[in-house]
Coordinates of all heavy atoms in Angstrom, one line a residue:
M1 N 31.9 24.5 7.7 CA 30.9 24.4 6.6 C 30.4 23.0 6.4 O 29.2 22.7 6.2 CB 31.5 25.0 5.3 CG 30.5 25.0 4.2 SD 29.2 26.1 4.5 CE 28.4 26.2 2.9
K2 N 31.3 22.0 6.5 CA 31.0 20.6 6.3 C 30.0 20.1 7.4 O 29.0 19.4 7.2 CB 32.2 19.7 6.3 CG 32.0 18.3 6.0 CD 33.3 17.5 6.0 CE 33.0 16.0 5.7 NZ 34.2 15.2 5.7
S3 N 30.2 20.6 8.7 CA 29.4 20.3 9.8 C 28.0 20.8 9.6 O 27.0 20.2 9.9 CB 29.9 20.8 11.1 OG 31.1 20.1 11.4
F4 N 27.9 22.1 9.1 CA 26.6 22.7 8.8 C 25.8 21.9 7.8 O 24.6 21.7 7.9 CB 26.9 24.1 8.3 CG 25.6 24.8 7.9 CD1 24.7 25.3 8.9 CD2 25.3 25.0 6.6 CE1 23.5 25.9 8.5 CE2 24.1 25.6 6.2 CZ 23.2 26.1 7.2
I5 N 26.5 21.5 6.7 CA 25.8 20.7 5.7 C 25.3 19.4 6.2 O 24.2 18.9 6.0 CB 26.7 20.5 4.5 CG1 27.0 21.8 3.8 CG2 26.1 19.5 3.5 CD1 28.0 21.8 2.7
Q6 N 26.1 18.7 7.1 CA 25.7 17.5 7.7 C 24.5 17.7 8.6 O 23.6 16.9 8.6 CB 26.8 16.8 8.5 CG 27.9 16.3 7.6 CD 29.1 15.8 8.4 OE1 29.4 16.2 9.5 NE2 29.9 15.0 7.8
I7 N 24.5 18.7 9.4 CA 23.4 19.0 10.3 C 22.1 19.3 9.5 O 21.0 18.9 9.8 CB 23.7 20.2 11.3 CG1 24.8 19.7 12.2 CG2 22.5 20.6 12.0 CD1 25.4 20.8 13.1
L8 N 22.3 20.1 8.4 CA 21.1 20.5 7.6 C 20.6 19.2 7.0 O 19.3 19.0 6.9 CB 21.6 21.5 6.5 CG 20.5 21.9 5.6 CD1 19.4 22.7 6.3 CD2 21.1 22.9 4.5
F9 N 21.4 18.3 6.5 CA 20.9 17.1 5.9 C 20.2 16.2 6.9 O 19.2 15.7 6.7 CB 22.1 16.3 5.3 CG 21.8 14.9 4.8 CD1 21.1 14.9 3.5 CD2 22.0 13.8 5.4 CE1 20.7 13.6 3.0 CE2 21.6 12.5 4.9 CZ 21.0 12.5 3.7
L10 N 20.7 16.2 8.1 CA 20.1 15.4 9.2 C 18.7 16.0 9.5 O 17.8 15.2 9.7 CB 21.0 15.4 10.5 CG 20.5 14.6 11.7 CD1 20.3 13.1 11.3 CD2 21.4 14.7 12.8
L11 N 18.6 17.3 9.7 CA 17.3 17.9 9.9 C 16.3 17.6 8.8 O 15.2 17.4 9.0 CB 17.5 19.4 10.2 CG 18.1 19.8 11.5 CD1 18.4 21.3 11.5 CD2 17.3 19.3 12.7
T12 N 16.8 17.7 7.6 CA 15.9 17.4 6.4 C 15.4 15.9 6.5 O 14.3 15.7 6.2 CB 16.6 17.7 5.1 OG1 17.1 19.0 5.1 CG2 15.7 17.4 3.9
A13 N 16.3 15.0 6.8 CA 16.0 13.6 6.9 C 15.0 13.4 8.0 O 14.0 12.6 7.9 CB 17.2 12.8 7.1
I14 N 15.1 14.1 9.1 CA 14.2 13.9 10.2 C 12.8 14.5 9.9 O 11.8 13.9 10.2 CB 14.7 14.6 11.5 CG1 16.0 13.8 12.0 CG2 13.7 14.6 12.6 CD1 16.7 14.4 13.1
T15 N 12.7 15.7 9.3 CA 11.5 16.3 9.1 C 10.8 15.9 7.8 O 9.6 16.1 7.7 CB 11.6 17.9 9.1 OG1 12.5 18.2 8.0 CG2 12.1 18.4 10.4
G16 N 11.5 15.3 6.9 CA 11.0 15.0 5.6 C 10.6 13.5 5.6 O 11.2 12.7 4.9
Y17 N 9.6 13.1 6.3 CA 9.2 11.7 6.3 C 7.9 11.5 5.6 O 7.1 12.4 5.3 CB 9.1 11.2 7.8 CG 7.8 11.7 8.5 CD1 6.7 10.9 8.5 CD2 7.8 12.9 9.1 CE1 5.5 11.3 9.1 CE2 6.6 13.4 9.7 CZ 5.5 12.6 9.8 OH 4.4 13.0 10.4
A18 N 7.6 10.3 5.3 CA 6.3 9.9 4.6 C 5.7 8.7 5.3 O 6.5 7.9 5.8 CB 6.6 9.6 3.1
E19 N 4.4 8.7 5.4 CA 3.8 7.6 6.1 C 2.4 7.4 5.5 O 1.7 8.4 5.2 CB 3.6 8.0 7.6 CG 3.0 6.9 8.4 CD 2.8 7.3 9.9 OE1 3.4 8.3 10.3 OE2 2.1 6.5 10.6
L20 N 2.0 6.2 5.3 CA 0.7 5.8 4.8 C -0.2 5.5 6.0 O 0.1 4.7 6.9 CB 0.8 4.7 3.8 CG 1.4 4.9 2.5 CD1 1.4 3.6 1.7 CD2 0.8 6.0 1.8
Q21 N -1.4 6.0 5.9 CA -2.5 5.6 6.8 C -3.5 4.8 6.1 O -4.1 5.3 5.1 CB -3.1 6.9 7.4 CG -4.2 6.6 8.4 CD -4.9 7.9 8.9 OE1 -5.2 8.8 8.1 NE2 -5.0 8.1 10.2
W22 N -3.7 3.6 6.5 CA -4.6 2.7 5.7 C -6.0 2.7 6.3 O -6.2 2.8 7.5 CB -4.0 1.2 5.8 CG -2.7 1.1 5.2 CD1 -1.5 1.3 5.7 CD2 -2.5 0.8 3.8 NE1 -0.5 1.2 4.8 CE2 -1.1 0.8 3.6 CE3 -3.3 0.5 2.7 CZ2 -0.5 0.6 2.3 CZ3 -2.7 0.3 1.5 CH2 -1.4 0.3 1.3
E23 N -7.0 2.6 5.4 CA -8.4 2.6 5.8 C -8.7 1.3 6.6 O -9.5 1.4 7.5 CB -9.2 2.6 4.5 CG -10.7 2.6 4.7 CD -11.4 2.6 3.4 OE1 -11.4 1.6 2.7 OE2 -11.9 3.6 3.0
T24 N -8.1 0.2 6.2 CA -8.2 -1.1 6.9 C -7.0 -1.9 6.7 O -6.2 -1.7 5.8 CB -9.5 -1.8 6.4 OG1 -9.7 -3.0 7.2 CG2 -9.4 -2.2 5.0
S25 N -6.8 -2.9 7.5 CA -5.6 -3.8 7.4 C -6.0 -5.2 6.9 O -5.2 -6.1 6.8 CB -4.8 -3.8 8.6 OG -5.6 -4.4 9.7
A26 N -7.3 -5.4 6.8 CA -7.8 -6.8 6.4 C -9.0 -6.7 5.6 O -9.8 -5.7 5.7 CB -8.1 -7.6 7.7
I27 N -9.2 -7.7 4.7 CA -10.4 -7.8 3.9 C -11.1 -9.2 4.3 O -10.4 -10.2 4.2 CB -10.1 -7.8 2.4 CG1 -9.5 -6.4 2.1 CG2 -11.4 -8.0 1.6 CD1 -8.9 -6.4 0.7
R28 N -12.3 -9.1 4.7 CA -13.0 -10.4 5.0 C -14.3 -10.3 4.1 O -15.0 -9.4 4.1 CB -13.4 -10.4 6.4 CG -12.2 -10.6 7.3 CD -12.6 -10.7 8.8 NE -11.5 -11.0 9.6 CZ -10.6 -10.1 10.0 NH1 -10.7 -8.9 9.7 NH2 -9.6 -10.4 10.8
R29 N -14.4 -11.5 3.4 CA -15.5 -11.5 2.4 C -15.9 -12.9 2.1 O -15.1 -13.8 2.0 CB -15.0 -10.8 1.1 CG -16.1 -10.7 0.2 CD -15.8 -9.8 -1.0 NE -16.7 -10.2 -1.9 CZ -16.6 -10.0 -3.2 NH1 -15.5 -9.5 -3.7 NH2 -17.6 -10.4 -4.0
K30 N -17.2 -13.1 2.1 CA -17.7 -14.4 1.6 C -17.8 -14.5 0.1 O -18.1 -13.5 -0.5 CB -19.1 -14.7 2.2 CG -19.0 -14.9 3.7 CD -20.3 -15.3 4.3 CE -20.1 -15.5 5.8 NZ -21.3 -16.2 6.4
V31 N -17.5 -15.6 -0.4 CA -17.5 -15.8 -1.9 C -18.7 -16.7 -2.3 O -19.0 -17.7 -1.7 CB -16.2 -16.5 -2.3 CG1 -16.1 -16.7 -3.8 CG2 -15.0 -15.7 -1.8
N32 N -19.3 -16.2 -3.4 CA -20.4 -17.0 -4.0 C -19.8 -18.2 -4.8 O -18.7 -18.1 -5.3 CB -21.3 -16.2 -4.9 CG -22.1 -15.1 -4.1 OD1 -22.5 -15.3 -3.0 ND2 -22.2 -14.0 -4.7
L33 N -20.5 -19.2 -4.9 CA -20.0 -20.4 -5.7 C -19.6 -20.1 -7.1 O -18.7 -20.7 -7.7 CB -21.0 -21.6 -5.6 CG -21.2 -22.2 -4.3 CD1 -22.3 -23.2 -4.3 CD2 -19.9 -22.9 -3.8
N34 N -20.3 -19.2 -7.7 CA -20.0 -18.8 -9.1 C -18.9 -17.8 -9.3 O -18.5 -17.5 -10.4 CB -21.3 -18.4 -9.8 CG -21.9 -17.1 -9.2 OD1 -21.5 -16.8 -8.1 ND2 -22.8 -16.5 -9.9
E35 N -18.4 -17.2 -8.2 CA -17.3 -16.3 -8.4 C -16.0 -16.9 -8.6 O -15.6 -17.9 -7.9 CB -17.2 -15.4 -7.1 CG -18.3 -14.4 -7.0 CD -18.1 -13.5 -5.8 OE1 -18.3 -14.0 -4.7 OE2 -17.8 -12.3 -6.0
T36 N -15.2 -16.5 -9.6 CA -13.9 -17.0 -9.8 C -12.8 -16.0 -9.5 O -11.6 -16.4 -9.4 CB -13.7 -17.4 -11.3 OG1 -14.0 -16.3 -12.1 CG2 -14.7 -18.6 -11.6
N37 N -13.1 -14.7 -9.4 CA -12.2 -13.7 -9.1 C -12.8 -12.6 -8.2 O -14.0 -12.2 -8.4 CB -11.7 -13.0 -10.4 CG -10.5 -12.3 -10.2 OD1 -9.6 -12.7 -9.5 ND2 -10.4 -11.1 -10.9
I38 N -12.1 -12.2 -7.2 CA -12.6 -11.2 -6.2 C -11.7 -10.0 -6.3 O -10.5 -10.1 -6.2 CB -12.6 -11.8 -4.8 CG1 -13.5 -13.0 -4.7 CG2 -13.0 -10.7 -3.8 CD1 -13.4 -13.7 -3.3
I39 N -12.3 -8.8 -6.5 CA -11.5 -7.6 -6.5 C -11.9 -6.7 -5.3 O -13.1 -6.5 -5.2 CB -11.7 -6.9 -7.9 CG1 -11.2 -7.8 -9.0 CG2 -11.0 -5.5 -7.8 CD1 -11.4 -7.2 -10.4
S40 N -11.0 -6.3 -4.6 CA -11.3 -5.4 -3.4 C -10.3 -4.2 -3.5 O -9.2 -4.3 -4.0 CB -11.0 -6.2 -2.1 OG -12.0 -7.2 -2.0
T41 N -10.7 -3.2 -2.8 CA -9.9 -2.0 -2.8 C -9.7 -1.5 -1.4 O -10.6 -1.5 -0.6 CB -10.6 -0.8 -3.6 OG1 -10.8 -1.3 -4.9 CG2 -9.8 0.4 -3.6
I42 N -8.5 -1.1 -1.0 CA -8.1 -0.6 0.3 C -7.6 0.8 0.0 O -6.6 1.0 -0.7 CB -7.1 -1.4 1.0 CG1 -7.6 -2.8 1.3 CG2 -6.8 -0.7 2.3 CD1 -6.6 -3.7 2.0
N43 N -8.3 1.8 0.6 CA -7.8 3.2 0.4 C -6.8 3.6 1.4 O -6.8 3.0 2.6 CB -9.0 4.2 0.5 CG -10.0 3.9 -0.6 OD1 -9.7 3.7 -1.7 ND2 -11.3 3.8 -0.2
F44 N -5.9 4.5 1.1 CA -4.9 5.0 2.0 C -4.6 6.4 1.8 O -5.0 7.0 0.8 CB -3.6 4.2 1.9 CG -3.0 4.2 0.5 CD1 -2.1 5.2 0.1 CD2 -3.3 3.2 -0.5 CE1 -1.6 5.3 -1.2 CE2 -2.7 3.3 -1.7 CZ -1.9 4.3 -2.1
K45 N -3.9 7.1 2.7 CA -3.6 8.5 2.6 C -2.1 8.7 3.1 O -1.7 8.1 4.1 CB -4.5 9.3 3.5 CG -4.2 10.8 3.5 CD -5.3 11.5 4.4 CE -5.1 13.0 4.3 NZ -6.0 13.7 5.1
N46 N -1.4 9.5 2.4 CA 0.0 9.9 2.8 C -0.2 11.0 3.9 O -0.5 12.1 3.6 CB 0.8 10.4 1.6 CG 2.2 10.8 2.0 OD1 2.6 10.8 3.2 ND2 3.0 11.2 1.0
I47 N 0.1 10.6 5.1 CA -0.1 11.5 6.2 C 1.2 12.2 6.6 O 1.3 13.0 7.6 CB -0.8 10.9 7.4 CG1 0.0 9.7 8.0 CG2 -2.2 10.5 7.1 CD1 -0.5 9.1 9.3
G48 N 2.3 11.8 5.9 CA 3.6 12.4 6.2 C 3.8 13.7 5.5 O 2.9 14.2 4.8
N49 N 5.0 14.3 5.5 CA 5.2 15.5 4.8 C 6.2 15.3 3.7 O 6.8 16.3 3.2 CB 5.7 16.6 5.8 CG 6.9 16.3 6.5 OD1 7.6 15.3 6.2 ND2 7.3 17.1 7.5
G50 N 6.4 14.1 3.3 CA 7.2 13.8 2.1 C 6.5 12.9 1.1 O 5.5 12.3 1.4
N51 N 7.0 12.9 -0.1 CA 6.4 12.1 -1.2 C 6.7 10.6 -0.9 O 7.7 10.2 -0.3 CB 7.0 12.4 -2.5 CG 6.5 13.8 -3.0 OD1 5.6 14.4 -2.5 ND2 7.1 14.2 -4.1
I52 N 5.7 9.8 -1.3 CA 5.9 8.3 -1.2 C 5.8 7.8 -2.7 O 4.9 8.1 -3.4 CB 4.8 7.7 -0.4 CG1 5.0 8.0 1.1 CG2 4.8 6.1 -0.6 CD1 4.0 7.4 2.0
K53 N 6.8 7.0 -3.0 CA 6.9 6.3 -4.3 C 6.7 4.8 -4.1 O 7.5 4.2 -3.4 CB 8.2 6.6 -5.0 CG 8.2 6.0 -6.4 CD 9.5 6.4 -7.1 CE 9.5 5.7 -8.5 NZ 10.8 6.0 -9.2
I54 N 5.7 4.3 -4.7 CA 5.5 2.8 -4.7 C 6.1 2.2 -5.9 O 5.5 2.3 -7.0 CB 4.0 2.5 -4.5 CG1 3.5 3.1 -3.2 CG2 3.8 1.0 -4.5 CD1 2.1 3.0 -2.9
D55 N 7.2 1.6 -5.8 CA 7.9 1.0 -6.9 C 7.4 -0.4 -7.3 O 7.2 -0.7 -8.5 CB 9.4 0.8 -6.7 CG 10.2 2.1 -6.6 OD1 9.8 3.0 -7.4 OD2 11.1 2.2 -5.8
K56 N 7.1 -1.2 -6.3 CA 6.8 -2.6 -6.6 C 6.0 -3.1 -5.4 O 6.3 -2.8 -4.3 CB 8.0 -3.4 -6.8 CG 7.8 -4.9 -7.2 CD 9.1 -5.6 -7.4 CE 8.9 -6.9 -7.9 NZ 10.1 -7.7 -8.1
I57 N 5.0 -3.9 -5.7 CA 4.2 -4.6 -4.7 C 4.5 -6.1 -4.8 O 4.3 -6.7 -5.9 CB 2.7 -4.3 -4.9 CG1 2.4 -2.9 -4.8 CG2 1.9 -5.1 -3.8 CD1 1.0 -2.5 -5.2
R58 N 5.0 -6.7 -3.7 CA 5.4 -8.1 -3.8 C 4.3 -8.9 -3.1 O 4.0 -8.7 -2.0 CB 6.7 -8.3 -3.1 CG 7.9 -7.8 -3.9 CD 9.2 -8.1 -3.2 NE 9.9 -6.9 -3.2 CZ 10.9 -6.6 -2.4 NH1 11.3 -7.5 -1.5 NH2 11.6 -5.5 -2.5
I59 N 3.9 -9.9 -3.8 CA 2.9 -10.9 -3.2 C 3.4 -12.3 -3.5 O 3.7 -12.7 -4.6 CB 1.5 -10.7 -3.9 CG1 1.0 -9.3 -3.6 CG2 0.5 -11.7 -3.4 CD1 -0.3 -8.9 -4.3
P60 N 3.5 -13.1 -2.4 CA 4.2 -14.4 -2.5 C 3.3 -15.5 -3.1 O 3.8 -16.6 -3.3 CB 4.5 -14.7 -1.1 CG 3.5 -14.0 -0.3 CD 3.2 -12.7 -1.0
C61 N 2.1 -15.1 -3.5 CA 1.2 -16.2 -4.0 C 0.8 -15.8 -5.5 O 0.5 -14.6 -5.7 CB 0.0 -16.2 -3.1 SG -1.3 -17.3 -3.7
G62 N 0.7 -16.8 -6.3 CA 0.3 -16.5 -7.7 C -1.2 -16.3 -7.9 O -1.6 -15.8 -8.9
C63 N -2.0 -16.6 -6.9 CA -3.4 -16.4 -7.0 C -3.9 -15.0 -6.6 O -5.1 -14.6 -6.7 CB -4.2 -17.4 -6.1 SG -3.8 -17.3 -4.4
T64 N -3.0 -14.1 -6.2 CA -3.3 -12.8 -5.7 C -2.4 -11.8 -6.4 O -1.2 -12.0 -6.6 CB -3.1 -12.6 -4.2 OG1 -3.8 -13.7 -3.5 CG2 -3.5 -11.3 -3.7
S65 N -3.0 -10.7 -6.9 CA -2.2 -9.6 -7.5 C -2.7 -8.2 -6.9 O -3.8 -8.2 -6.4 CB -2.3 -9.6 -9.0 OG -3.7 -9.3 -9.4
A66 N -1.9 -7.2 -6.9 CA -2.3 -5.9 -6.4 C -1.6 -4.8 -7.2 O -0.5 -5.0 -7.7 CB -1.9 -5.8 -4.9
D67 N -2.2 -3.7 -7.3 CA -1.7 -2.5 -7.9 C -2.3 -1.2 -7.3 O -3.4 -1.3 -6.8 CB -1.9 -2.6 -9.4 CG -1.0 -1.8 -10.2 OD1 0.0 -1.2 -9.7 OD2 -1.1 -1.7 -11.5
T68 N -1.5 -0.2 -7.4 CA -2.0 1.1 -7.0 C -2.5 1.9 -8.2 O -2.2 1.6 -9.3 CB -1.0 1.9 -6.2 OG1 0.2 2.0 -7.0 CG2 -0.6 1.2 -4.9
D69 N -3.3 3.0 -7.9 CA -3.8 3.8 -9.0 C -2.8 4.7 -9.6 O -3.0 5.2 -10.7 CB -5.1 4.6 -8.5 CG -4.9 5.3 -7.2 OD1 -3.9 5.1 -6.5 OD2 -5.7 6.2 -6.9
K70 N -1.7 4.9 -8.9 CA -0.5 5.7 -9.5 C 0.7 5.3 -8.7 O 0.7 4.5 -7.8 CB -0.8 7.1 -9.5 CG -1.1 7.8 -8.2 CD -1.5 9.2 -8.4 CE -1.0 10.1 -7.3 NZ -1.3 11.5 -7.6
E71 N 1.9 5.9 -9.0 CA 3.1 5.5 -8.4 C 3.6 6.5 -7.3 O 4.1 6.0 -6.3 CB 4.2 5.5 -9.5 CG 5.5 4.9 -9.1 CD 6.5 4.8 -10.2 OE1 7.2 5.8 -10.5 OE2 6.6 3.7 -10.8
I72 N 3.4 7.8 -7.4 CA 3.9 8.8 -6.4 C 2.7 9.5 -5.8 O 1.8 9.9 -6.4 CB 4.8 9.8 -7.1 CG1 6.1 9.1 -7.6 CG2 5.2 10.9 -6.1 CD1 7.0 10.0 -8.4
Y73 N 2.8 9.5 -4.4 CA 1.7 10.2 -3.6 C 2.4 11.3 -2.8 O 3.3 11.1 -2.0 CB 1.1 9.2 -2.7 CG 0.4 8.1 -3.5 CD1 1.0 6.9 -3.9 CD2 -1.0 8.2 -3.9 CE1 0.4 5.9 -4.6 CE2 -1.6 7.3 -4.6 CZ -0.9 6.1 -5.0 OH -1.5 5.2 -5.8
K74 N 1.9 12.5 -3.0 CA 2.3 13.7 -2.3 C 1.7 13.7 -0.9 O 0.7 13.0 -0.7 CB 2.0 14.9 -3.1 CG 2.7 15.0 -4.4 CD 2.3 16.2 -5.2 CE 3.0 16.2 -6.5 NZ 2.7 17.3 -7.4
P75 N 2.2 14.5 0.0 CA 1.6 14.7 1.3 C 0.1 15.0 1.2 O -0.3 15.8 0.4 CB 2.4 15.8 2.0 CG 3.7 15.7 1.3 CD 3.4 15.3 -0.1
E76 N -0.7 14.4 2.0 CA -2.2 14.5 2.1 C -2.9 13.9 0.9 O -4.1 14.0 0.9 CB -2.6 16.0 2.3 CG -2.0 16.7 3.5 CD -2.5 16.0 4.8 OE1 -3.7 15.7 4.9 OE2 -1.7 15.7 5.7
E77 N -2.2 13.3 0.0 CA -2.8 12.7 -1.1 C -3.4 11.3 -0.8 O -2.8 10.6 0.0 CB -1.8 12.6 -2.3 CG -2.4 12.8 -3.6 CD -1.4 12.9 -4.7 OE1 -0.2 12.7 -4.5 OE2 -1.9 13.1 -5.8
V78 N -4.5 11.0 -1.3 CA -5.1 9.7 -1.1 C -4.9 8.8 -2.3 O -4.7 9.3 -3.4 CB -6.6 9.8 -0.8 CG1 -6.8 10.5 0.5 CG2 -7.4 10.4 -1.9
G79 N -4.9 7.5 -2.1 CA -4.7 6.5 -3.1 C -5.5 5.3 -2.9 O -6.2 5.1 -1.8
A80 N -5.4 4.3 -3.7 CA -6.1 3.0 -3.6 C -5.2 1.9 -4.0 O -4.5 2.0 -5.0 CB -7.4 3.1 -4.4
L81 N -5.3 0.9 -3.2 CA -4.6 -0.4 -3.5 C -5.7 -1.4 -4.0 O -6.6 -1.7 -3.2 CB -3.9 -1.0 -2.3 CG -3.2 -2.3 -2.5 CD1 -2.0 -2.2 -3.4 CD2 -2.7 -2.8 -1.1
V82 N -5.6 -1.8 -5.2 CA -6.6 -2.7 -5.8 C -6.1 -4.1 -5.7 O -5.0 -4.4 -6.3 CB -7.0 -2.3 -7.2 CG1 -8.1 -3.3 -7.8 CG2 -7.6 -0.9 -7.2
I83 N -6.8 -5.0 -5.1 CA -6.3 -6.4 -4.9 C -7.2 -7.3 -5.6 O -8.5 -7.3 -5.5 CB -6.3 -6.7 -3.3 CG1 -5.4 -5.7 -2.6 CG2 -5.8 -8.2 -3.1 CD1 -5.6 -5.7 -1.1
S84 N -6.6 -8.2 -6.3 CA -7.4 -9.2 -7.1 C -7.0 -10.6 -6.6 O -5.8 -11.0 -6.6 CB -7.1 -9.1 -8.6 OG -7.8 -10.1 -9.3
F85 N -8.0 -11.4 -6.2 CA -7.8 -12.8 -5.7 C -8.5 -13.7 -6.6 O -9.7 -13.7 -6.8 CB -8.3 -12.9 -4.2 CG -8.2 -14.3 -3.7 CD1 -6.9 -14.9 -3.5 CD2 -9.3 -14.9 -3.3 CE1 -6.9 -16.2 -3.0 CE2 -9.2 -16.2 -2.8 CZ -8.0 -16.8 -2.6
S86 N -7.7 -14.6 -7.2 CA -8.3 -15.6 -8.1 C -8.7 -16.8 -7.3 O -7.9 -17.6 -6.8 CB -7.3 -16.0 -9.2 OG -7.8 -17.0 -10.0
V87 N -10.0 -17.0 -7.2 CA -10.5 -18.1 -6.4 C -10.2 -19.5 -7.1 O -9.8 -20.4 -6.4 CB -12.0 -18.0 -6.1 CG1 -12.6 -19.1 -5.3 CG2 -12.3 -16.6 -5.4
G88 N -10.5 -19.5 -8.4 CA -10.2 -20.8 -9.1 C -11.0 -21.9 -8.5 O -12.2 -21.8 -8.2
K89 N -10.3 -23.0 -8.1 CA -11.0 -24.2 -7.5 C -10.7 -24.3 -6.0 O -10.9 -25.3 -5.4 CB -10.5 -25.4 -8.2 CG -10.9 -25.5 -9.7 CD -10.5 -26.7 -10.4 CE -10.9 -26.7 -11.8 NZ -10.6 -27.9 -12.5
L90 N -10.3 -23.2 -5.4 CA -10.0 -23.2 -4.0 C -11.3 -23.3 -3.2 O -12.3 -22.7 -3.6 CB -9.3 -21.9 -3.6 CG -7.9 -21.7 -4.2 CD1 -7.4 -20.3 -3.8 CD2 -6.9 -22.7 -3.7
V91 N -11.3 -24.1 -2.1 CA -12.4 -24.2 -1.3 C -12.0 -24.0 0.2 O -10.8 -24.2 0.5 CB -13.1 -25.6 -1.4 CG1 -13.7 -25.8 -2.8 CG2 -12.1 -26.7 -1.1
G92 N -12.9 -23.6 1.0 CA -12.6 -23.4 2.4 C -12.1 -22.0 2.7 O -12.0 -21.2 1.9
H93 N -11.7 -21.9 3.9 CA -11.1 -20.6 4.4 C -9.8 -20.3 3.8 O -8.9 -21.1 3.8 CB -11.0 -20.6 6.0 CG -10.5 -19.4 6.6 ND1 -11.3 -18.3 6.8 CD2 -9.3 -19.0 7.0 CE1 -10.6 -17.3 7.4 NE2 -9.3 -17.7 7.5
Q94 N -9.6 -19.1 3.2 CA -8.3 -18.7 2.6 C -7.8 -17.5 3.4 O -8.5 -16.5 3.6 CB -8.5 -18.4 1.1 CG -9.1 -19.4 0.3 CD -8.2 -20.7 0.2 OE1 -7.0 -20.5 0.0 NE2 -8.8 -21.8 0.4
T95 N -6.5 -17.5 3.7 CA -5.8 -16.4 4.4 C -4.6 -16.1 3.6 O -3.7 -16.9 3.4 CB -5.5 -16.8 5.8 OG1 -6.7 -17.2 6.5 CG2 -4.8 -15.6 6.6
K96 N -4.4 -14.8 3.3 CA -3.2 -14.3 2.6 C -2.6 -13.2 3.4 O -3.3 -12.3 4.0 CB -3.6 -13.7 1.2 CG -4.3 -14.7 0.3 CD -3.4 -15.9 0.0 CE -4.2 -16.9 -0.8 NZ -3.4 -18.1 -1.0
Y97 N -1.3 -13.2 3.6 CA -0.6 -12.1 4.3 C 0.3 -11.4 3.4 O 0.9 -11.9 2.5 CB 0.2 -12.7 5.5 CG -0.6 -13.4 6.5 CD1 -0.9 -14.8 6.5 CD2 -1.2 -12.6 7.5 CE1 -1.7 -15.3 7.5 CE2 -2.1 -13.2 8.4 CZ -2.3 -14.6 8.4 OH -3.1 -15.1 9.4

């Protein structure tokens, strides 16, 4: 019985995956001189067969923030990652990873 439960758990772990498909992986945009904040949206879709929960988005820079439109995405559900970049007094080419 113990082996059956372990095999069942393993099969569930293999078949119950979640994966996000992103509309794009980069945002390129020119900024006008009067803009101080840029807001962009990247859409995504859960193409797996399990739920995805987004607990926290970590961004190493204080000039950039991001949030999703909700926390849990079911299979085939679409969502949006909204990214805000504070230009402030920055000049020249800016790259964030």
Side-chain angles (χ1 to χ4, degrees):
M1 182 67 170
K2 185 177 180 183
S3 295
F4 175 73
I5 293 172
Q6 288 175 338
I7 292 170
L8 182 61
F9 177 74
L10 180 61
L11 289 174
T12 304
I14 291 171
T15 60
Y17 76 96
E19 181 181 351
L20 290 180
Q21 179 180 50
W22 296 89
E23 180 181 73
T24 184
S25 61
I27 299 170
R28 289 180 177 82
R29 186 167 161 205
K30 292 188 178 192
V31 180
N32 295 324
L33 289 174
N34 60 346
E35 286 184 287
T36 58
N37 197 39
I38 298 171
I39 297 176
S40 296
T41 301
I42 299 178
N43 296 316
F44 58 87
K45 181 178 183 179
N46 180 357
I47 60 171
N49 60 8
N51 290 349
I52 291 182
K53 180 178 181 183
I54 300 176
D55 288 326
K56 183 177 184 181
I57 300 170
R58 289 184 225 160
I59 299 177
C61 174
C63 61
T64 306
S65 64
D67 202 4
T68 54
D69 50 348
K70 60 188 212 172
E71 190 176 84
I72 296 176
Y73 297 89
K74 296 178 182 176
E76 298 300 314
E77 217 172 3
V78 295
L81 177 68
V82 180
I83 303 162
S84 176
F85 176 64
S86 178
V87 178
K89 295 182 181 186
L90 298 172
V91 293
H93 180 81
Q94 303 296 315
T95 303
K96 304 293 176 189
Y97 296 96

